[in-house]
Amino acid sequence: MPSNNYYPRNEPGFIQWCIDFFLYLASHLPGWGLDPTEEASLKSDFDTFQNAYNHYHDPDHKTPANRVAKDTAKKGFEKRLRAYVKEHLAFNHLLTDADRRALGINVPEPGPHPPHPLPTSFPILTFGTQTAAWLYMHLIDSVTKHRAKPFGVQGAEYRCGICETPPVNPEDLPEVGFITRWPHIFKFRKEDSSKIFCVCARWENTRGEKGPWSEIYRVIIP
């Protein structure tokens, strides 16, 4: 991303930009491998700012204190918005440049890429089942044995599905996603309890180059 100045500076224009951004984002979350709860949290911060903006511009409430409240809400939301775009949208390989234009964010500029190597390690997956019908997935690097991403890695692509017998080829698993933070939560229907869930993952660097797949794990859905 060349800069953070991809949205309007004036507040009415910024609010309309955000409305369009969230409409497009919400309709594409599953296909981009994004967590809807994180999007909902970001949207809640926008709603807080928009409500503070509307409150301040009501002639009966246009006070210095309400202006401070508006500006504080905007500043907090903008910080989270820029971080979300950078982490989840700017270099997510599941988005096209057309998607980024529709979102109103910058398209990465062509040119030299940072010297980040092709991933040679793979994620080791571990799972937690603290909540019924939820499966928590952690990733550990096979070389460093740490939960932190290896150098140059922006996240992990995963493939998954409910299956009695795990396929030999990860590409045969029906669902695909991309994550940059963990634990990642898979949420299931109650009727899926006790079924077998199959999942594997591989690292991806900032140039979209992918490392080797992990083994295909079989986990009982809680």
Side-chain angles (χ1 to χ4, degrees):
M1 302 285 291
S3 76
N4 287 325
N5 297 324
Y6 41 81
Y7 50 76
R9 298 292 94 189
N10 67 85
E11 289 182 341
F14 177 50
I15 288 173
Q16 185 57 54
W17 181 94
C18 289
I19 291 170
D20 296 338
F21 172 86
F22 281 111
L23 281 173
Y24 195 84
L25 178 64
S27 64
H28 290 80
L29 287 173
W32 293 344
L34 301 179
D35 183 355
T37 59
E38 193 165 358
E39 181 271 344
S41 176
L42 182 66
K43 177 63 164 56
S44 177
D45 281 2
F46 167 64
D47 291 340
T48 298
F49 159 60
Q50 187 177 24
N51 290 338
Y53 172 88
N54 291 335
H55 186 68
Y56 170 69
H57 284 281
D58 183 328
D60 294 333
H61 299 97
K62 203 162 189 176
T63 65
N66 286 335
R67 179 172 184 172
V68 170
K70 170 186 70 71
D71 292 344
T72 300
K74 181 183 179 184
K75 184 177 180 180
F77 167 63
E78 283 188 288
K79 183 177 180 180
R80 285 200 63 196
L81 172 66
R82 290 192 296 266
Y84 186 91
V85 168
K86 181 179 180 180
E87 182 170 358
H88 297 298
L89 304 176
F91 299 103
N92 185 336
H93 74 286
L94 297 175
L95 277 75
T96 65
D97 287 348
D99 287 325
R100 294 184 180 90
R101 293 187 184 96
L103 286 166
I105 64 176
N106 290 328
V107 174
E109 293 178 343
H113 293 283
H116 288 168
L118 176 71
T120 56
S121 61
F122 55 86
I124 297 171
L125 310 184
T126 63
F127 303 91
T129 57
Q130 299 98 318
T131 306
W134 286 21
L135 193 63
Y136 296 77
M137 181 176 74
H138 292 270
L139 280 66
I140 300 171
D141 184 61
S142 62
V143 172
T144 66
K145 308 303 182 186
H146 295 156
R147 290 186 176 180
K149 302 169 196 170
F151 173 72
V153 164
Q154 65 170 334
E157 177 185 25
Y158 67 85
R159 298 194 71 100
C160 62
I162 295 175
C163 53
E164 290 300 322
T165 304
V168 175
N169 187 346
E171 304 296 333
D172 291 333
L173 289 168
E175 299 178 34
V176 61
F178 185 82
I179 54 177
T180 58
R181 286 192 287 181
W182 30 93
H184 178 70
I185 303 175
F186 295 102
K187 299 179 182 180
F188 302 93
R189 300 172 300 176
K190 290 182 179 179
E191 53 265 36
D192 291 329
S193 178
S194 299
K195 293 181 180 179
I196 302 298
F197 179 68
C198 299
V199 59
C200 60
R202 60 182 175 181
W203 298 127
E204 180 178 308
N205 68 15
T206 55
R207 292 180 287 185
E209 298 170 328
K210 307 176 196 301
W213 283 107
S214 71
E215 66 176 276
I216 298 176
Y217 292 76
R218 299 174 73 241
V219 188
I220 298 176
I221 298 172

